[in-house]
Amino acid sequence: MTTWKEPSLETVDPEIARLIHEEELREARTIRLIASENYASRAVLEASGSCLTNKYSEGYPHKRYYEGQQSIDPIEELAQNRLKALFGSEHANVQPYSGSPANLAVYLAFCKPGDPIMGLGLPAGGHLTHGWGVSITGMFFKSHAYGVRKDDHMIDMDQVRALAKEHRPRVIWCGGTAYARTWDFPAFREICNEVGALMIADIAHIAGLVAGGAHPSPVGLADVVTSTTHKTLRGPRGGMIMAKKEHAAAIDKAVFPGLQGGPHNHTTAAIAVAAHEAGKPEFKQYAKAIVDNAKALAAAMTERGFKLITGGTDNHLILADLTPQNVSGKIAAKALDRAGLVLNYNSVPFDTRKPFDPSGIRLGTPSITSRGMGREEMVKIADWMARVIAKHDDPATIDAVRGEVEETCKKFPAPGIPVV
Ligand SMILES: *Cc1c(COP(=O)(O)O)cnc(C)c1O
């Protein structure tokens, strides 16, 4: 037991302490449907909020530029080894500060400025760092985005192959932020082989599903796999890169000294804890439950007149086009937030509206599954959504739903949030 001789945060900085407490209350009392968010466990938060934040350790285990690494080296090795075991990967780098820097390290390892690259376009559900124009990755490299088909909104593998043959990209990214279907990793491997491109799988959204066996793994097929650690994987806010042995040295050199300075050791420790938790049999059940819940929620939404992009989901996320409801994604998202249902407005493929006020909403089940919600709650959530969106400017409806949401939240305490 530690006995503090110093004053607490509440004493030192009541303003920040109050805001953190208010965030705890918000996270406990609302239903988190943001597909990229989750609740890290108390164990993960403890590691992340530790004195490890004080330590500099530029370099890698046993090859450091600072002394005093007696705890840091074994912590980083545990994080690497647990991730390698969890995903069956030959190499793991746990130092990227987050998902975007992990992806930048891949470019630095393999591409020269101006090289052709390919990734799923942002409007089709790709990530900024896969070469979109407003991102440094679209400015420094010649990006040729692939998209989804107009009829069924599935990734157009014929287009991927045609663009790859035409432009001979150095790397092809597979992964996205708003794609509700299974990634066909073997098909990407085949195309990469045909054109001599490196296959880079960015599993930021689906890492937990891959770890838990609820989505096929790209490990063994992709040359490099990047990810965040804080989405379905339920770790701290961080990034990681897994690679085949032959690319290990290039990746490590790109992360440090290529792109970053000292690693965030508190995050590394928390990644190790998350990988430990994800290696337990319960995590397999968790990953499966995320997908079961998403399918149940998608079915309940469809029954209530929602138009889902691709007609449903294979993973943790759902993208809905609200055009039939005659309301923009932003207006809906703001009304739902007032009712305690927190999600984000999102462009849909071939959206005719602007990205800052698009036609759709994106939602996901990782967080509500972490709270232990199931089929019954999915039906309730679909029902609440339909009610709020139909009467988005009626305070009585919003208040009524908010009350029901708070009652349900009380029955499903959120991991990592002190009971409030
Ligand atoms: C979230 C995400 C990222 C970026 O992660 P940050 O930690 O926000 O930088 C990269 N790629 C994909 C596919 C993502 O979903």
Side-chain angles (χ1 to χ4, degrees), residues 98-100 103 127 129-130 176-177 202 204-205 228 230-231:
S98 209
S100 304
N103 289 351
H127 192 261
T129 55
H130 299 177
T177 64
D202 178 348
H205 260 261
T228 55
H230 49 272
K231 298 180 185 174

Side-chain angles (χ1 to χ4, degrees), residues 178-182 309-310 312-319:
Y179 189 62
R181 294 298 173 176
T182 302
I309 300 300
T310 73
T313 181
D314 295 331
N315 55 27
H316 62 300
L317 82 78
I318 295 167
L319 188 60

Side-chain angles (χ1 to χ4, degrees), residues 156-191:
D156 187 347
M157 294 309 296
D158 295 334
Q159 188 201 18
V160 176
R161 177 173 274 109
L163 285 172
K165 286 193 161 154
E166 185 184 348
H167 301 290
R168 302 265 151 187
R170 181 78 181 114
V171 303
I172 299 180
W173 291 93
C174 25
T177 64
Y179 189 62
R181 294 298 173 176
T182 302
W183 284 84
D184 189 351
F185 295 126
F188 275 94
R189 179 72 266 172
E190 210 173 278
I191 293 169

Side-chain angles (χ1 to χ4, degrees), residues 275-294:
H276 177 65
E277 291 176 339
K280 294 187 173 170
E282 302 91 274
F283 197 86
K284 278 202 166 59
Q285 291 164 18
Y286 169 62
K288 186 177 176 297
I290 290 176
V291 177
D292 288 347
N293 277 342

Side-chain angles (χ1 to χ4, degrees), residues 138-366:
M139 300 174 198
F140 282 23
F141 305 101
K142 186 95 197 66
S143 172
H144 305 280
Y146 58 88
V148 294
R149 292 191 294 243
K150 235 185 172 133
D151 52 349
D152 61 2
H153 297 151
M154 306 288 237
I155 287 175
D156 187 347
M157 294 309 296
D158 295 334
Q159 188 201 18
V160 176
R161 177 173 274 109
L163 285 172
K165 286 193 161 154
E166 185 184 348
H167 301 290
R168 302 265 151 187
R170 181 78 181 114
V171 303
I172 299 180
W173 291 93
C174 25
T177 64
Y179 189 62
R181 294 298 173 176
T182 302
W183 284 84
D184 189 351
F185 295 126
F188 275 94
R189 179 72 266 172
E190 210 173 278
I191 293 169
C192 287
N193 288 349
E194 285 170 26
V195 303
L198 290 166
M199 174 180 167
I200 318 290
D202 178 348
I203 60 168
H205 260 261
I206 57 170
L209 303 183
V210 171
H215 186 290
S217 175
V219 175
L221 287 170
D223 292 282
V224 177
V225 178
T226 68
S227 185
T228 55
T229 51
H230 49 272
K231 298 180 185 174
T232 48
L233 199 57
R234 292 193 58 194
R237 190 156 289 267
M240 61 151 160
I241 306 177
M242 296 182 286
K244 294 186 176 174
K245 247 201 186 91
E246 66 207 86
H247 301 305
I251 287 294
D252 285 353
K253 209 170 135 227
V255 174
F256 176 86
L259 193 67
Q260 298 185 171
H264 293 180
N265 296 305
H266 55 301
T267 301
T268 304
I271 290 173
V273 175
H276 177 65
E277 291 176 339
K280 294 187 173 170
E282 302 91 274
F283 197 86
K284 278 202 166 59
Q285 291 164 18
Y286 169 62
K288 186 177 176 297
I290 290 176
V291 177
D292 288 347
N293 277 342
K295 285 182 188 292
L297 180 54
M301 287 175 70
T302 304
E303 276 172 27
R304 285 158 184 79
F306 285 97
K307 181 182 163 194
L308 305 189
I309 300 300
T310 73
T313 181
D314 295 331
N315 55 27
H316 62 300
L317 82 78
I318 295 167
L319 188 60
D321 180 354
L322 299 182
T323 308
Q325 278 73 21
N326 224 346
V327 57
S328 81
K330 196 182 210 168
I331 287 173
K334 293 206 175 292
L336 288 164
D337 186 57
R338 290 197 297 278
L341 297 155
V342 188
L343 46 68
N344 64 283
Y345 57 87
N346 213 101
S347 291
V348 298
F350 310 102
D351 209 327
T352 50
R353 301 179 63 96
K354 296 262 184 301
F356 200 58
D357 188 17
S359 300
I361 49 173
R362 185 189 71 161
L363 54 159
T365 52

